[in-house]
Amino acid sequence: MSTSSRQVVSTTKAPAALGPYSQAIIANGLVFVSGQLPINPVSGEIEAQDISGQTEQALKNLEAILVESGSSISNVVKTTCFLGDINEWPAMNEVYAKVFHTAPPARSAFEVAKLPKNAKVEIEAIAKLN
């Protein structure tokens, strides 16, 4: 792949984009994964009601897209976590730490006014290719 090209990544193992954007883009040896909501890709719904379950699903969706792109969770170099309530950060962090337990990536976390579908969390990532 040339340094100026970009490739769209799409998988049915993660929820489809809710708008005019791609699940991920590969460019310059990196994978840029769009924010992942805690939507079950089979039902198309947010099933978990608590931040822990929603974080787990969002990370599963993130991982499915990374695998489809030819990357993996262990190659993530940066994440951004958007929370509907920053007071739920400790519970989100507990689930997050189980996935990124070895050499965790750089990260930012923010409280936002509202997330799509009234989700409690959305997580985006940048990863290097395998």
Side-chain angles (χ1 to χ4, degrees), residues 36-39 46-55 58 81-89 91-92 110-123:
Q36 292 304 299
L37 293 169
I39 296 171
I46 295 175
E47 296 174 352
Q49 299 304 308
D50 66 321
I51 189 71
S52 296
Q54 288 197 16
T55 301
C81 302
F82 304 96
L83 299 159
D85 180 355
I86 200 69
N87 293 314
E88 293 190 307
W89 182 83
M92 182 279 300
F110 303 94
E111 179 179 281
V112 296
K114 196 168 185 176
L115 289 165
K117 298 190 117 208
N118 292 316
K120 294 178 178 284
V121 65
E122 180 174 354
I123 303 172

Side-chain angles (χ1 to χ4, degrees), residues 9 16 21 30 32 34 49 52 63 72 83 99 105 111-112 116 125 130:
V9 177
Y21 60 90
L30 296 172
F32 298 84
S34 295
Q49 299 304 308
S52 296
E63 184 170 25
S72 67
L83 299 159
V99 173
E111 179 179 281
V112 296
N130 284 338

Side-chain angles (χ1 to χ4, degrees), residues 50-73:
D50 66 321
I51 189 71
S52 296
Q54 288 197 16
T55 301
E56 185 177 332
Q57 184 64 58
L59 289 168
K60 283 180 183 176
N61 296 341
L62 183 76
E63 184 170 25
I65 294 167
L66 288 167
V67 168
E68 182 68 25
S69 73
S71 187
S72 67
I73 283 288

Side-chain angles (χ1 to χ4, degrees), residues 31-45:
V31 183
F32 298 84
V33 183
S34 295
Q36 292 304 299
L37 293 169
I39 296 171
N40 178 313
V42 175
S43 70
E45 300 295 328

